[in-house]
Amino acid sequence: MPPGENEGLGRQLGQFFQGIGKYKDDPDRKEKGSMARDDYARVNLDVSNADKSKTPYCVASSPGQYDCTQDGYQFGLTQKKNVKGKISNPIDPQGADNHYGTQDDVYADLYQCRVSLTREGDNKFGSVVLYDWEKKQHKIDDGCSVKDDKGTCLLKGLPQDLQVEKTGKLDTKIGFTYAPGHKGSNVNYFEWDTGSKGNGKSPKGASRQFCDVGKVTSNKQTVDCYFPCYEHADGR
């Protein structure tokens, strides 16, 4: 959104809260005066006239058809099993952990998947174990290889493929893409690399790290990463 439009939207929202101006077209603004404690309002953004192919949070459900209900920021609790709000590491989807997901859309709860592999020399990504949303293991002993200086290869075993990207020789950054080729058309799509940081913990508990990357030993290097995923291939 251009800065001017963003600022204008903020001003309108502020005036709505303060009761400034007329809101004859808004059926939710029934009372006069500024909003007080415990008042609430629902903000609905009209994207009916937008070019939905250029709107980042619109996911193509079929050619020319888009689901624009979710921009990725409406995220919250779907099940509150644990009143203290704590989450296990790794997340236990069938235990006492709370469940989370995006809100007011067609998608199911968001879970945590995992990939563990050993980089063997410059080209091979072997000893692969993929962990699905239930933490079930899917072993790919042969893994995959990239012979060129840079390139990608695929790991299969989860609802969507996991693409591994070689950016250089052993001990250089490794890129990952879950549901490659489906950006903007599948909610599972997610990119990260061995240097990415978030708000959670890595498999070994490192704060804010997506991945744990081991030291090179005997021309090998272990890599272990968490990433978001859904139970089903379409996220529903």
Side-chain angles (χ1 to χ4, degrees):
M1 179 183 293
E5 293 183 15
N6 188 45
E7 293 171 3
L9 181 61
R11 284 193 294 270
Q12 290 183 44
L13 190 59
Q15 291 173 357
F16 182 91
F17 290 158
Q18 297 170 43
I20 300 173
K22 297 180 180 180
Y23 295 91
K24 63 181 180 180
D25 297 328
D26 194 326
D28 292 330
R29 187 67 158 106
K30 298 177 180 179
E31 301 297 331
K32 296 181 179 180
S34 60
M35 298 183 73
R37 183 182 294 274
D38 296 328
D39 286 346
Y40 67 92
R42 179 178 290 108
V43 178
N44 295 314
L45 300 179
D46 183 4
V47 296
S48 59
N49 295 319
D51 183 349
K52 298 177 181 60
S53 66
K54 297 180 181 179
T55 306
Y57 60 81
C58 292
V59 177
S61 55
S62 60
Q65 299 295 318
Y66 296 86
D67 176 9
C68 301
T69 56
Q70 181 53 238
D71 62 5
Y73 291 99
Q74 285 74 37
F75 181 80
L77 279 168
T78 59
Q79 296 183 47
K80 191 176 182 180
K81 299 181 179 181
N82 187 338
V83 295
K84 295 182 179 180
K86 294 182 179 180
I87 301 176
S88 304
N89 187 47
I91 293 173
D92 185 2
Q94 298 185 353
D97 281 349
N98 295 331
H99 287 206
Y100 294 84
T102 50
Q103 306 294 299
D104 299 325
D105 58 22
V106 298
Y107 302 113
D109 289 349
L110 188 61
Y111 293 105
Q112 180 185 64
C113 287
R114 176 180 175 184
V115 54
S116 176
L117 59 83
T118 298
R119 186 168 186 182
E120 303 170 11
D122 295 335
N123 301 333
K124 185 175 181 179
F125 303 93
S127 302
V128 177
V129 182
L130 301 175
Y131 299 78
D132 64 20
W133 73 281
E134 291 183 293
K135 300 189 294 184
K136 291 182 178 178
Q137 297 185 13
H138 304 269
K139 296 184 179 181
I140 312 172
D141 294 332
D142 292 338
C144 65
S145 299
V146 179
K147 294 183 179 180
D148 294 333
D149 292 340
K150 295 182 180 181
T152 62
C153 60
L154 290 179
L155 299 173
K156 297 179 179 290
L158 297 177
Q160 291 283 349
D161 293 341
L162 177 62
Q163 178 179 278
V164 182
E165 180 186 5
K166 175 185 174 182
T167 65
K169 295 183 178 181
L170 182 65
D171 204 26
T172 57
K173 181 175 67 177
I174 302 172
F176 296 92
T177 304
Y178 187 53
H182 294 290
K183 185 176 183 179
S185 63
N186 190 291
V187 73
N188 276 283
Y189 181 89
F190 187 74
E191 295 181 74
W192 81 100
D193 60 51
T194 47
S196 296
K197 295 182 179 181
N199 293 316
K201 294 181 178 181
S202 71
K204 291 184 179 179
S207 179
R208 299 180 62 84
Q209 300 290 334
F210 276 59
C211 303
D212 292 308
V213 181
K215 295 182 180 180
V216 176
T217 305
S218 301
N219 206 37
K220 294 182 179 181
Q221 185 175 43
T222 59
V223 177
D224 201 357
C225 307
Y226 282 152
F227 61 97
C229 64
Y230 290 84
E231 177 182 356
H232 300 296
D234 62 0
R236 303 187 183 211

